[in-house]
Amino acid sequence: MDETIAVLHRDGELILVSTPIGNLGDMSRRAVETLQSVDLILCEDTRTSARLLREYGIHTRTRPLHDHNEDRQIPALLDALDAGQRIAVISDAGTPLMSDPGYRLVRAVVAAGGHVTAVPGPNAAVMALTLSGLPPHPFMFSGFLPPREAARREVLARLHAAECAGLSATLIWHEAPHRLAEMLATLADVMGGDRHAAVARELTKRFEEVRRGTVAELAAHYAENPARGEITVVLGPPLHDDSTATDLDTQLREALRTLSVKDAAALVAGITSLPRRTVYARALELARGPQGS
């Protein structure tokens, strides 16, 4: 697609506009003025956005932009921008592109030399991070984990393997309420039940709640008390005494002194409970010499 895009040469502008994550009072004056003045508002769901637009007397034309139609929309939207139109993108709540549609459109506009800007505002992941009591930086936001247990466990295992190789950051995910207890149980099993964490629920809304504790404590609580509403999970960095987060390379190097790469990886994978193929990939890197270490 990028190869066929002509460079945009007019005054068109794509604007990413952040909207409230719950409390409509968090809509900024600049966001309102922008949405009133643009030629078109692209909404994740026009029905969801209608209430917000009515609340602020915004009558601008809207059109849906979601995962199932984004690619099809891009050529016409590029033509509109090339003709000088100003187009806003909003999601159902919060900052566009953060677990929401719009990335492919932004990438296409950038590739075509167009102008992209943003009106900053509410973001559930950042708000949960600041309320969690956990280290605010570095942090890594990963959207939603896979809904199925096997895939979720694999993603978490890869993250834990990265921690074993030196990653130390506060991790953030969104989660559906009906999957929260199961997700926390998997988190405790793979990343460690003693890790400090927080579950932020219904941020900016009437029943806002931030529950803090170890992953094991939170998993036990939500197994007995099903959650409701919009949820963000924040996991603190590895504990200093988490041996698997510090000793993977040490254990692999020791094993490689007497074992083949395959056997060393199998042995260390069993010790650390990390995925065998992840450990094998690291063992290969170490076996290759200085460039792998």
Side-chain angles (χ1 to χ4, degrees):
M1 180 180 65
D2 290 350
E3 295 177 356
T4 63
I5 293 175
V7 175
L8 303 183
H9 57 82
R10 297 282 299 273
D11 294 327
E13 184 177 46
L14 184 70
I15 311 167
L16 310 177
V17 180
S18 297
T19 56
I21 59 177
N23 190 320
L24 293 183
D26 292 335
M27 187 75 167
S28 73
R29 184 172 67 179
R30 183 177 168 219
V32 173
E33 292 172 349
T34 298
L35 295 180
Q36 288 174 332
S37 66
V38 295
D39 299 289
L40 174 67
I41 301 173
L42 300 173
C43 310
E44 183 178 1
D45 188 324
T46 54
R47 297 165 298 181
T48 300
S49 298
R51 180 190 173 204
L52 175 71
L53 300 181
R54 283 196 305 268
E55 177 75 16
Y56 286 97
I58 298 167
H59 305 292
T60 306
R61 180 168 55 99
T62 62
R63 184 188 301 173
L65 182 81
H66 47 71
D67 288 334
H68 302 294
N69 75 354
E70 187 171 356
D71 284 333
R72 296 196 308 271
Q73 294 260 34
I74 287 175
L77 293 171
L78 290 176
D79 288 342
L81 291 168
D82 195 36
Q85 290 192 22
R86 297 173 69 242
I87 300 174
V89 177
I90 62 175
S91 64
D92 286 348
T95 300
L97 277 68
M98 304 301 291
S99 294
D100 299 316
Y103 165 68
R104 286 170 287 181
L105 174 59
V106 168
R107 184 177 61 181
V109 174
V110 170
H115 183 217
V116 182
T117 187
V119 177
N123 181 282
V126 172
M127 183 175 178
L129 173 65
T130 58
L131 296 179
S132 68
L134 298 168
H137 52 76
F139 73 88
M140 187 173 79
F141 171 64
S142 298
F144 285 85
L145 286 169
R148 295 186 180 278
E149 167 69 11
R152 179 169 59 240
R153 183 174 291 272
E154 182 176 350
V155 169
L156 289 174
R158 287 200 301 266
L159 279 172
H160 192 41
E163 291 178 337
C164 292
L167 174 68
S168 182
T170 298
L171 307 177
I172 308 171
W173 300 273
H174 292 323
E175 189 52 274
H178 65 279
R179 289 196 298 263
L180 177 62
E182 185 180 275
M183 178 265 202
L184 289 170
T186 308
L187 201 62
D189 189 37
V190 177
M191 309 294 273
D194 292 336
R195 294 270 287 268
H196 298 298
V199 173
R201 187 178 67 86
E202 293 289 84
L203 293 176
T204 77
K205 300 178 185 178
R206 179 181 178 185
F207 297 106
E208 175 179 301
E209 176 188 59
V210 180
R211 183 171 292 273
R212 306 169 185 87
T214 66
V215 181
E217 290 169 345
L218 293 171
H221 173 81
Y222 287 106
E224 296 294 328
N225 302 275
R228 293 183 178 181
E230 304 291 331
I231 292 168
T232 302
V233 177
V234 186
L235 177 69
L239 302 173
H240 292 301
D241 60 354
D242 183 352
S243 62
T244 65
T246 56
D247 292 345
L248 176 62
D249 283 5
T250 299
Q251 293 181 39
L252 280 174
R253 287 192 177 97
E254 184 64 26
L256 286 168
R257 292 176 59 185
T258 56
L259 299 174
S260 68
V261 170
K262 180 180 178 180
D263 290 342
L267 174 65
V268 175
I271 294 172
T272 61
S273 298
L274 293 170
R276 181 173 299 192
R277 62 181 178 182
T278 301
V279 177
Y280 180 74
R282 182 57 182 161
L284 274 178
E285 292 177 357
L286 293 175
R288 291 190 185 113
Q291 70 273 20
S293 58

